Amino acid sequence: MPDPTLLEMAIESAGRRLTRPRRAVAALIDARDGAFSAADLVADARGQRLGIGRATIFRAIELLAEIGALERIDLPTGDHAYVPCGPAHHHHVVCRRCSRSVEIGDLGLAALARDIARKTGYRIDEHRLELFGLCPDCRRVGAPA
Amino acid sequence: MPDPTLLEMAIESAGRRLTRPRRAVAALIDARDGAFSAADLVADARGQRLGIGRATIFRAIELLAEIGALERIDLPTGDHAYVPCGPAHHHHVVCRRCSRSVEIGDLGLAALARDIARKTGYRIDEHRLELFGLCPDCRRVGAPA
DNA sequence: CTCCGATTCGAGATCGGGTATCATTCGGAG
DNA sequence: CTCCGAATGATACCCGATCTCGAATCGGAG
């Protein structure tokens, strides 16, 4: 197994077993380069006749999300998708056509959250910012939708 | 029908029929004062022996969301919930204990989005910011969780 | 007020993402 | 190499949400 991927290393350094099915799921995710749904991975696995069980794929996604190598985002449609990402606090910009996403840093949001906390009296524990649009490639190629 | 509620007026002014089941759903929502799930409304309706069909409740929610009187938010758990709200662009702060929510204005987010667009090259069409925490009441009452 | 067509409803089937169960297999520490 | 708990996979199941379709309702025209 040359060239252990980032996802594989993340699993290992989290002290979880690096099993064949998990490697396979990691490979599927790497092959995707963008946000994907659980159903996408299930379809990919079936298409490649990997003998990966449906439940295993969901469990692998759950695991990767737990260790912070994956994050669930909520599409404007209400569907769930997942994006691979690093451990630091950040947010995502997702292309609504090709699903490629980039991470962006905090960008002053923490300060904004504090501001909101002060104004509303709420204690803010958690926030989520998601941005959707067209990536540079899709802007060029497609109609400006 | 004295005292037409905001939700009912929203339906009417959108040119949609103001039917009895829709009024009933609007009343259920008004009685809730906070974020709720579709399942909550279904349970409420059953509890009150309103003869409202399941599908009708979902359709009413969909309608209210379409006309902007309701907005779907995505809880950190991945579940969907809905909050009644006005038509202007805004975001929500939701109490994770009692589900009461307050709207907050744009607060410079549009500018932030423009900034992000410039940095990433994406064309940002849509963004969503959701904040979760404890409302003032729940801060006082409960343990500081 | 009455009538009529379009809209909306209600009941139930169905769909699809996600989870639970459980016997079997596997990773990897020792 | 052995061994045991973690992980797997097949399957059944759960539940939120949607689809279908005949029946009931709404509300504007007359």
Side-chain angles (χ1 to χ4, degrees):
Chain A
M1 187 61 55
D3 187 18
T5 70
L6 289 172
L7 290 176
E8 289 179 353
M9 290 196 296
I11 292 173
E12 222 167 20
S13 64
R16 310 304 216 84
R17 288 191 181 172
L18 190 50
T19 65
R20 191 165 45 74
R22 285 176 180 171
R23 284 180 208 254
V25 171
L28 290 178
I29 292 172
D30 284 333
R32 281 219 149 244
D33 174 51
F36 55 88
S37 68
D40 288 335
L41 292 193
V42 172
D44 289 354
R46 298 204 53 180
Q48 299 184 212
R49 324 265 165 197
L50 313 170
I52 314 282
R54 178 185 161 69
T56 300
I57 293 176
F58 279 94
R59 283 187 290 236
I61 290 173
E62 184 184 22
L63 167 63
L64 290 169
E66 267 177 37
I67 66 179
L70 221 54
E71 190 171 308
R72 193 193 58 236
I73 58 179
D74 299 286
L75 268 20
T77 60
D79 295 329
H80 290 162
Y82 301 86
V83 284
C85 59
H89 178 70
H90 62 271
H91 302 283
H92 292 276
V93 186
V94 182
C95 176
R96 63 161 206 273
R97 176 168 303 177
C98 73
S99 293
R100 267 194 301 244
S101 72
V102 302
E103 298 184 16
I104 57 178
D106 185 80
L107 288 178
L109 252 195
L112 184 59
R114 272 195 300 278
D115 194 38
I116 291 167
R118 193 163 39 70
K119 280 180 183 154
T120 61
Y122 276 58
R123 178 159 67 82
I124 309 289
D125 301 325
E126 196 172 350
H127 66 264
R128 181 162 68 217
L129 173 66
E130 289 161 2
L131 301 107
F132 305 93
L134 287 184
C135 71
D137 285 355
C138 290
R139 285 178 68 173
R140 259 195 303 280
V141 173
Chain B
M1 189 58 55
D3 186 17
T5 70
L6 289 173
L7 289 176
E8 289 179 354
M9 289 195 296
I11 292 173
E12 222 168 21
S13 64
R16 309 304 216 84
R17 288 192 180 170
L18 190 51
T19 66
R20 192 165 44 75
R22 284 175 180 172
R23 285 180 208 253
V25 171
L28 290 178
I29 293 173
D30 284 333
R32 282 218 148 246
D33 172 52
F36 56 88
S37 68
D40 288 335
L41 292 193
V42 172
D44 289 354
R46 299 203 52 179
Q48 299 184 212
R49 324 265 164 195
L50 313 171
I52 313 283
R54 180 184 166 68
T56 300
I57 292 176
F58 279 92
R59 283 188 288 236
I61 290 173
E62 184 183 22
L63 167 63
L64 289 168
E66 267 178 37
I67 66 180
L70 220 52
E71 190 171 309
R72 192 191 58 237
I73 59 178
D74 299 285
L75 267 20
T77 60
D79 295 329
H80 290 163
Y82 301 86
V83 285
C85 58
H89 177 70
H90 62 271
H91 302 283
H92 291 277
V93 187
V94 182
C95 176
R96 63 161 204 275
R97 177 167 302 178
C98 72
S99 294
R100 267 194 302 244
S101 73
V102 303
E103 296 184 17
I104 56 178
D106 184 82
L107 289 179
L109 252 196
L112 184 59
R114 273 195 298 278
D115 194 40
I116 292 167
R118 193 163 39 72
K119 279 180 184 155
T120 62
Y122 276 57
R123 177 160 68 82
I124 308 290
D125 300 326
E126 195 172 351
H127 66 263
R128 182 161 67 216
L129 173 67
E130 289 161 3
L131 301 108
F132 304 94
L134 286 183
C135 72
D137 285 355
C138 289
R139 285 178 69 175
R140 258 196 303 281
V141 173

